[in-house]
Amino acid sequence: MNADATYLIPEKVSYEQAAPIFCAGYTVYGGLRWANPQPHERVAVLGIGGLGHLAVQYAKAVGFETIAISHSPDKDKMICDLGADEVVRDGNGLAAAGGADVILSTSNSAKAMADSVQGLRPDGRLVNHGCRRGANFGLASRSPQQAHSNNWQPAKRPGISLRSA
C-alpha cells in the first residue's frame, strides 16, 4: 500500500473492524482514484458484495451521485442504506437512469461487465477490480467515437487523490 493512501486507525476502532478496509477498501479506493471522477460525474458500482458495498460507501462519502448495479433485488434496501442514490439491474437499466461516467466493477463476471458498458456515457471510464486471482486492476476509457463499439483502449494512470468534501 502506498503511504499517501494510509490513515491512522482511530482509537475507537479495533483492528478487527479496520481489517476489511485494508485490502478490500484499498482496492476500491484505488479504483476511484485511478478513474478520476469529477464532482459533477456519476459513479456506478457493479456487484454489491465484499468490495462493492465499500465502493458504494466511498463514492457517496466523497460526494458522487452513486448508482448500484445489482442483480439481487433482496439487497436493494441494504444498498440504499449504504448510500446508493439508485439501484439498477443491468446496463440497460443504467442507461435508462441517465448512465454513468465511471463504472467501478467489483464483479469477476465478464458478462456483467460487458453488459454494464451499455450504461457508460461517452468518455466514461470502466474500472475493473473483479478477479479470480487477487486484486488485479484494469482501466479502460471510451471516446465519443467509440461510444457504440467494443473497441476499448487502455487509459493512462492520472496522478490524483480523493479528498472528502
Side-chain angles (χ1 to χ4, degrees):
M1 178 178 285
N2 294 326
D4 68 344
T6 62
Y7 301 91
L8 291 175
I9 299 172
E11 289 183 26
K12 295 179 182 181
V13 177
S14 71
Y15 289 119
E16 293 81 7
Q17 291 172 313
I21 305 303
F22 183 72
C23 184
Y26 184 68
T27 297
V28 295
Y29 176 75
L32 284 173
R33 288 178 64 188
W34 280 45
N36 193 21
Q38 300 302 301
H40 62 279
E41 292 185 321
R42 301 175 85 202
V43 174
V45 177
L46 170 63
I48 310 302
L51 296 174
H53 82 284
L54 292 170
V56 167
Q57 293 176 79
Y58 287 174
K60 192 61 183 180
V62 294
F64 298 111
E65 184 176 352
T66 305
I67 302 124
I69 306 170
S70 173
H71 297 104
S72 305
D74 58 315
K75 293 183 181 181
D76 287 1
K77 182 181 179 332
M78 177 206 53
I79 293 168
C80 291
D81 289 346
L82 294 173
D85 295 296
E86 193 164 353
V87 180
V88 298
R89 298 289 168 238
D90 55 24
N92 284 331
L94 181 59
D101 300 289
V102 171
I103 298 174
L104 178 58
S105 173
T106 65
S107 171
N108 64 3
S109 168
K111 182 179 176 182
M113 283 186 274
D115 175 73
S116 72
V117 171
Q118 296 175 68
L120 191 61
R121 292 176 172 174
D123 288 328
R125 282 93 60 211
L126 170 65
V127 181
N128 173 22
H129 283 285
C131 62
R132 294 171 195 230
R133 289 181 230 116
N136 74 347
F137 181 81
L139 175 64
S141 179
R142 178 160 53 173
S143 71
Q145 295 79 22
Q146 296 170 315
H148 300 290
S149 78
N150 290 323
N151 184 19
W152 291 90
Q153 301 295 320
K156 294 182 181 176
R157 178 182 175 186
I160 57 104
S161 61
L162 288 177
R163 294 177 193 81
S164 47

